[in-house]
Amino acid sequence: MHQQKFKPILFSTPMIQAILADNKTMTRRIIKPPISKWLIDQNLNTPYARATALYAKYQIGDILWVRETFGYSNDGRLHYAADVCSPKYDNPINGWKPSIFMPKEVCRLFLQVT
């Protein structure tokens, strides 16, 4: 059985808004198996093709902590771009920080892979 792991995942501001509104319940990521084996074995009913999940970054049971665009106001309060009407104009005093730089400590969304 797979050991549950916490892994980061990036989402854009519109995707965060869809998650918060319960309009987004699924996401997909491309699995990239070794290309040489893939070219030789293109039959999707083979054990190799069924085992490509071994190459997936995320496994069933993993907890994904969602990285999103964020920023801090002058008084140190945390803000998320998905919560404002227009991230372009309603930005924190120091500007928005890209989601790739979001630390786990300020994450507010956790998703479980099913």
Side-chain angles (χ1 to χ4, degrees):
M1 183 176 207
H2 173 71
Q3 171 126 5
Q4 184 181 58
K5 295 180 182 175
F6 284 82
K7 297 178 180 180
I9 189 168
L10 294 172
F11 280 109
S12 66
T13 297
M15 293 298 100
I16 296 292
Q17 291 168 332
I19 290 169
L20 293 172
D22 279 336
N23 293 329
K24 181 173 179 58
T25 59
M26 182 186 306
T27 193
R28 295 178 178 94
R29 296 295 188 259
I30 295 173
I31 297 174
K32 299 178 184 178
I35 191 68
S36 60
K37 178 68 173 162
W38 182 258
L39 291 174
I40 294 167
D41 191 359
Q42 294 180 1
N43 182 349
L44 297 179
N45 292 320
T46 65
Y48 172 76
R50 289 189 299 271
T52 54
L54 296 174
Y55 297 100
K57 186 175 183 179
Y58 308 111
Q59 300 289 323
I60 293 173
D62 286 347
I63 304 293
L64 309 180
W65 57 276
V66 178
R67 287 181 161 175
E68 60 180 297
T69 303
F70 69 105
Y72 295 95
S73 59
N74 271 346
D75 61 2
R77 287 184 299 136
L78 179 65
H79 299 275
Y80 300 98
D83 291 344
V84 298
C85 293
S86 174
K88 184 175 180 181
Y89 301 107
D90 298 331
N91 57 345
I93 194 71
N94 296 321
W96 294 112
K97 305 223 181 293
S99 57
I100 190 74
F101 299 115
M102 177 183 234
K104 187 177 179 183
E105 295 75 37
V106 299
C107 172
R108 63 176 172 167
L109 294 172
F110 293 87
L111 309 172
Q112 185 168 20
V113 178
T114 57

